[in-house]
Amino acid sequence: MGRLVVVSNRVADPRKSAAGGLAVAVGQALEAAGGVWMGWSGKVSEDADDAPLQMQRSGNVQLATFDLNAQQHDRFYLGYSNGVLWPVFHYRLDLADFDAGYFEAYRDVNMLFARRLLAVLRPDDVIWIHDYHLIPLAAKLRQLGCQQRMGFFLHIPLPPPLMLAAIPRHAWLMERLFAYDVVGFQSQADVQHFSGYVQQELGAESMTANGQDAQQFRALGSSFSRDVRVQAFPIGMDVEEFRHLALGKDAREAFTTTREQYARRRLLIGIDRLDYSKGIPHRIRAFRELLLQFPENRDSATLIQIASPSRETVDAYADIRQELEGLCGAINGDFGNLDWMPVRYIHRTVARKRLPGLCRAARVGLVTPLRDGMNLVAKEFVVAQDAQDPGVLVLSRFAGAAEQLKQALLVNPYDIHGTAQTIQRALHMPLAERQERHQQLLAHIAAHDVHWWSQGFLAALNAPAS
Ligand code: ADQ
């Protein structure tokens, strides 16, 4: 087998711990197979166009990065990727900014990625491309003559056909997926949306009998008469790494201090990137409803909400930050007293080493996105628990993780009243039920970890075309 070449918008050194599902997951696969990871350096510079690829070795992996210029950053990254695709793919048409100039920048920067990559490619490389920033990359590479096997994995959800069709030039975008040999999604729901879209809008034909895990589609009459294999590969977490962290000094300290500090309280925890898709304001409202409906939780239930700063230059993100600060301030003002603050809102990234300790200290984990590709925090919360006395996971049915984690308490995060009732149930769940649910969740998560995910995807990518 040739080298593995991974391309994603951002590149992270796999040997350094980083907050971000993609970094952890892909780093593992590359370390094992050896290869190249190429992407944007995260820097914006004026001489970006003329600068050579920056190469850096990290263990078994060659990291290849390049800068973007200010216009590319504004239009490709902030504009099209995070101002159009991110909101629409998360069902938020209301937040999408369909500025025509963004589309061209998206197409051009994908060509830039293709040209940059061409310089380091070998004929027997296997190429694995990640996420919504780079949907057209394989088509660009094929245009430049590349014959290598290419796979694409979408980390975020794919919306239903009608919503996809709201994107200007949506057919162009979706047709580019046929340049890949394998396209992977997080959930069966995403695969169904793809299937519906390509059959309705592109006149593609399904080549598979119903009920098979991997589906084959043929684009008819499009510029590519290629077949693509489409399948759900739900991403897993690195269970071993997380367990190892849990045994470390930082995690144990985080656990002990948090438990001591909140010895008389029932602790709930939310850990997210500060993103409108994560449903944090809805969660805070549900928590307020809990205090209203079930007054016995006053002076007791405490929600620690950690939200790490994210894409702060995009307007929608500044809005949600303000909304959240207002909500938390109001709830503390209305319900708090001298020795109890109902919500502790922390706008910061928690050090990964402390994460397992914090999760373990909580009785309830609130993972309630309005829409999410997977959501790895849900899995991390379960793995961090003490199996003898585990906390309860309250999970949105709109997270990809809900297809797998059926023993969590599932909620509709838009239903504030219903979510509050479910949180109450979680806070009062008997030990035997908590143990039973935790055991089943843990078994599933451990059997479908990040290695299972990347091996499954790469096996599909390396399989001969049927
Ligand atoms: P995200 O939306 O960033 O990524 P999510 O799965 O929620 O992903 O979290 C990824 C990682 O970030 C987790 O390991 C988590 O612990 C960490 N993290 C989140 N908030 C943090 C905080 N405040 N402090 C410290 N660490 C934090 C996208 C998709 C997801 C999908 C992942 C992986 O949106 O749906 O699960 O990719 O495919």
Side-chain angles (χ1 to χ4, degrees), residues 259 265-271 283 287 290 297 301-305 358-368 377-378 381-382 385 389-395 408-409 411 419-429 434:
R259 271 282 161 99
R265 317 282 181 220
R266 288 161 177 241
L267 203 59
L268 301 96
I269 198 156
I271 300 171
R283 184 183 309 162
F287 184 65
L290 174 88
N297 292 305
T302 305
L303 169 61
I304 299 184
Q305 174 61 56
L358 275 175
C359 290
R360 196 180 175 96
R363 303 206 40 167
V364 175
L366 296 179
V367 181
T368 55
V377 178
F381 178 81
V382 172
Q385 297 308 305
D389 184 19
V392 178
L393 175 64
V394 173
L395 177 64
L409 295 186
V411 292
T419 304
Q421 285 181 326
T422 306
I423 297 175
Q424 173 74 352
R425 185 176 161 208
L427 281 168
H428 297 278
M429 188 180 283
R434 283 191 278 130

Side-chain angles (χ1 to χ4, degrees), residues 330-368:
I331 200 172
N332 283 339
D334 290 347
F335 292 90
N337 57 38
L338 279 177
D339 58 5
W340 173 64
M341 279 295 144
V343 182
R344 268 191 75 187
Y345 165 60
I346 302 161
H347 183 231
R348 212 174 307 136
T349 304
V350 199
R352 198 164 170 77
K353 290 183 284 193
R354 292 170 50 83
L355 214 63
L358 275 175
C359 290
R360 196 180 175 96
R363 303 206 40 167
V364 175
L366 296 179
V367 181
T368 55

Side-chain angles (χ1 to χ4, degrees), residues 18-22 24 86 90 131 153-157 186 235 242 271-273 277-278 306-309 346 348-352 355 372-377 380 453:
L22 182 65
V24 176
W86 179 275
H90 286 88
D131 233 358
F153 184 76
L154 186 69
H155 288 259
I156 66 175
Q186 297 272 27
I235 197 168
F242 208 73
I271 300 171
D272 311 76
R273 256 186 328 102
S277 64
K278 303 291 180 185
I306 302 167
S308 56
I346 302 161
R348 212 174 307 136
T349 304
V350 199
R352 198 164 170 77
L355 214 63
D372 218 326
M374 174 57 59
N375 197 305
L376 290 173
V377 178
E380 290 165 352
W453 169 74

Side-chain angles (χ1 to χ4, degrees), residues 24 28 236-243 352 449-451:
V24 176
Q28 295 287 327
M237 61 173 283
D238 190 343
V239 176
E240 276 316 304
E241 177 242 23
F242 208 73
R243 280 187 174 143
R352 198 164 170 77
D449 70 353
V450 72
H451 306 292

